[in-house]
Amino acid sequence: MSEPLYPASDTRLAQRYPKLSSDEIDRLRRFGTAVHFDAGDTIVSMGETGHGLAVVVSGIVAISRRNGDVCETLVNHSNGDFVGELAQLRGRPSLFDATATTDVELIRIEPDRLRAVLIAEAELGETIMRALILRRVNLIEMGAGGPIIIGRADGGDVVRLTGFLRRNGHPHRTLDPDTDAEAGAVLRQFAVDPGDMPIVLCPSGDILRNPSEYDLARCIGLLTRSAEPHLYDVAIVGAGPAGLAAAVYAASEGLSTIVLDCRAFGGQAGASARIENYFGFPTGISGLALTARAYNQAQKFGVEFAIPEEVVGLDERAGGTKTLRLASGGTVEARAVVVANGVDYRHLAVQRLDEFEGGCVHYWASPIEGRLCYGHDVVLVGAGNSAGQAIVYLASKATRVHVLVRGPDLASSMSQYLVDRIESQPNVNVLTRTELSAVEGVDGTLSAVRWRAKDGREGAIDARHLFLFIGAEPRTGWLAGTGVAFDDRGFILTGVRSGAPSPLATCRDGVYAIGDVRAGSTKRVAAAVGDGAQVVADLHVYFRDTAQLGEPARA
């Protein structure tokens, strides 16, 4: 087994660093290429585009991370071990350095061949995939290999950037210049103006000053699409449960698939602190953990992800090929399009609310927001299941959770198990028939929330953070003028066209809608996953019928 130097104890050590037998190594030879490195040679550098998996046949390989001028060894790999983590599955930039401590013989398996291993060698592939996932989890826990964000921990832009990285499963560290000497030294070294904060130090050495999520993603290699024109079988817009399910089923059945999302994989479900009523998880599971499994599964089958890429329009060329126009100026072409981009969080029309968004006003409750709530009272507006999950989670972090509910009680709009859980929390205060009326604070820091009851009573709550779970609106503006039909609330109508081949088909041939964005859908994770599975069967019928009409089957 590999000799881990950090951390010292880990109950899943054997799964993270499995030792391959000589027979297993021989089975892998047909997928890779034999390579040799002399002692002292660099095998891969942090930030360098990944070269796939490297199986150690002989010698010792040191895996390390750089922190400024300091190089820290994380693990030593020897005969029967393999070098790599999830980044190598798609050939993305490496999150670590790998150096030959002695003369080394490796079998290098390129990313496309690595995915072939996972499919062709099911049992061995399971061992490798589990190790890749656990290694990524370990890097996230250590904050190793990813970018360093320097800024006030409670600053809106720091929360925005850390939330983006966390929801995309990418390691990172956050340093607060008010409390961390290392952060202060970096700011002085690079003469950073306070107006440029926060800054991001990328593994490549580049420095970004308060970047957008798109610029950050490009810097750390999340956006690595080839510049070469490519016609996909299916382009899926949205990486929530519906889009991820469609991607897994489509790619596993041989369809070339790309998924685009403007934020992160997981959608609203991915931001849920805990899901307790999803089939097969009796003890519950966080939304991020659930959707990360689907995301990794999709990558295993070769799905390409473009995150964050916002789709702003849909066109169609002669022959039926669909073109998605992107906010970044690029395009994606596909034979069919599946719309699964869900909904946007609904905003309240309360004066000054936008002054506090990002740092003090939140639309989900993840561990990032949870840490900000320690020692503070918080206010939550909403009474649906997502609100209930957030209330239970925040009750374990905040001093007190005040809940504003427009209706007469929670039970009329929330699952009973959540109502029971909330009623058992001693630090939750529920105000019924009440709505938010005003917010107070200075310099982007919230100090109080005012409420008004239906009977005319008014009051104020001293609170540092406000959480809004008041429903959502369909994200369908980019489809205006395309011929796709909507209901009176903006959700996509499906199955209404005369002779429609599928209940998921829109009014446009080759364009389907699944999950929350579809009119009449059940707004549950399980229902979204079901839509994702069903639409792939419909795609096969569509491709068969268009081929019979003489349209090209593939580019």
Side-chain angles (χ1 to χ4, degrees), residues 528-539:
V529 171
D531 275 7
Q534 177 60 49
V535 78
V536 175
D538 298 339
L539 287 170

Side-chain angles (χ1 to χ4, degrees), residues 86 92 136 140 160-172 213 216-217 220 222 239 261-266 288 292 295-296 299 305-308:
L86 281 177
R92 286 178 170 155
R136 170 58 67 92
I140 291 174
R160 171 178 60 85
L161 294 172
T162 54
F164 169 75
L165 292 170
R166 178 185 178 275
R167 291 190 63 184
N168 280 290
H170 202 282
H172 62 280
E213 291 92 330
L216 176 58
I220 63 177
L222 286 182
D261 196 286
C262 63
R263 290 194 182 99
F265 68 80
L288 181 59
Y295 175 69
N296 293 329
Q299 290 190 93
F305 284 88
I307 299 174

Side-chain angles (χ1 to χ4, degrees), residues 90 115 225 230-238 242-260 298-299 301-306 332-338 532 535-536 539-540 543 554:
R90 294 296 308 180
R115 295 193 294 274
R225 285 184 56 226
H230 183 80
L231 177 62
Y232 297 91
D233 288 323
V234 57
I236 301 170
V237 184
L244 290 172
V248 168
Y249 285 106
S252 67
E253 295 182 17
L255 301 179
S256 62
T257 305
I258 184 171
V259 178
L260 306 99
Q299 290 190 93
F301 288 116
V303 174
E304 185 173 341
F305 284 88
V332 169
E333 294 195 343
R335 300 167 62 208
V337 170
V338 175
V535 78
V536 175
L539 287 170
H540 284 301
F543 292 148
R554 290 287 175 92

Side-chain angles (χ1 to χ4, degrees), residues 29-260:
R29 290 183 187 277
R30 66 189 178 97
F31 295 95
T33 303
V35 291
H36 171 86
F37 292 91
D38 294 329
D41 284 351
T42 297
I43 297 172
V44 64
S45 295
M46 184 185 300
E48 181 180 88
T49 300
H51 299 291
L53 200 74
V55 181
V56 182
V57 178
S58 64
I60 298 176
V61 177
I63 305 300
S64 59
R65 67 168 175 174
R66 278 173 277 153
N67 185 9
D69 297 328
V70 178
C71 185
E72 179 186 12
T73 300
L74 304 177
V75 64
N76 286 320
H77 288 309
S78 59
N79 303 20
D81 299 324
F82 53 85
V83 179
E85 57 88 47
L86 281 177
Q88 281 64 56
L89 196 59
R90 294 296 308 180
R92 286 178 170 155
S94 176
L95 300 180
F96 53 79
D97 293 327
T99 307
T101 301
T102 66
D103 288 356
V104 172
E105 301 293 335
L106 301 174
I107 300 172
R108 174 162 280 162
I109 304 174
E110 299 295 331
D112 60 334
R113 300 298 293 157
L114 173 56
R115 295 193 294 274
V117 169
L118 300 179
I119 302 301
E121 295 282 350
E123 186 173 335
L124 180 53
E126 180 182 348
T127 297
I128 293 172
M129 189 68 184
R130 182 183 294 112
L132 299 181
I133 293 171
L134 291 176
R135 292 177 186 184
R136 170 58 67 92
V137 170
N138 191 44
L139 289 174
I140 291 174
E141 291 173 347
M142 296 162 56
I148 300 174
I149 301 171
I150 300 179
R152 287 184 52 191
D154 59 352
D157 287 313
V158 171
V159 173
R160 171 178 60 85
L161 294 172
T162 54
F164 169 75
L165 292 170
R166 178 185 178 275
R167 291 190 63 184
N168 280 290
H170 202 282
H172 62 280
R173 294 171 62 204
T174 303
L175 302 178
D176 190 330
D178 293 340
T179 58
D180 196 297
E182 182 183 353
V186 172
L187 297 180
R188 289 189 296 272
Q189 177 184 352
F190 294 103
V192 177
D193 186 281
D196 293 334
M197 298 284 283
I199 65 168
V200 179
L201 306 181
C202 297
S204 62
D206 292 335
I207 299 177
L208 305 179
R209 299 171 190 267
N210 195 14
S212 66
E213 291 92 330
Y214 183 84
D215 289 337
L216 176 58
R218 289 191 66 85
C219 186
I220 63 177
L222 286 182
L223 286 169
T224 55
R225 285 184 56 226
S226 170
E228 295 296 321
H230 183 80
L231 177 62
Y232 297 91
D233 288 323
V234 57
I236 301 170
V237 184
L244 290 172
V248 168
Y249 285 106
S252 67
E253 295 182 17
L255 301 179
S256 62
T257 305
I258 184 171
V259 178
L260 306 99

Side-chain angles (χ1 to χ4, degrees), residues 415-538:
S415 294
Q416 190 61 45
Y417 81 93
L418 287 170
V419 176
D420 294 340
R421 183 91 35 97
I422 291 168
E423 289 177 347
S424 71
Q425 302 296 323
N427 62 336
V428 175
N429 173 39
V430 179
L431 301 174
T432 59
R433 303 182 188 277
T434 304
E435 60 185 26
L436 181 71
S437 59
V439 292
E440 299 175 358
V442 294
D443 297 330
T445 299
L446 190 69
S447 61
V449 168
R450 303 196 67 84
W451 55 266
R452 181 186 301 110
K454 289 185 177 180
D455 61 8
R457 290 180 298 115
E458 294 186 348
I461 301 169
D462 293 337
R464 184 71 176 271
H465 294 276
L466 170 64
F467 292 82
L468 300 179
F469 286 81
I470 54 174
E473 298 169 341
R475 194 183 305 143
T476 53
W478 64 278
L479 287 166
T482 62
V484 171
F486 310 100
D487 68 8
D488 56 1
R489 294 189 298 160
F491 289 90
I492 298 175
L493 293 171
T494 59
V496 296
R497 177 164 54 96
S498 177
S502 159
L504 304 178
T506 71
C507 294
R508 285 283 299 272
D509 286 337
V511 179
Y512 298 80
I514 61 176
D516 287 359
V517 77
R518 181 173 67 85
S521 65
T522 301
K523 313 307 183 191
R524 290 286 187 273
V525 174
V529 171
D531 275 7
Q534 177 60 49
V535 78
V536 175
D538 298 339

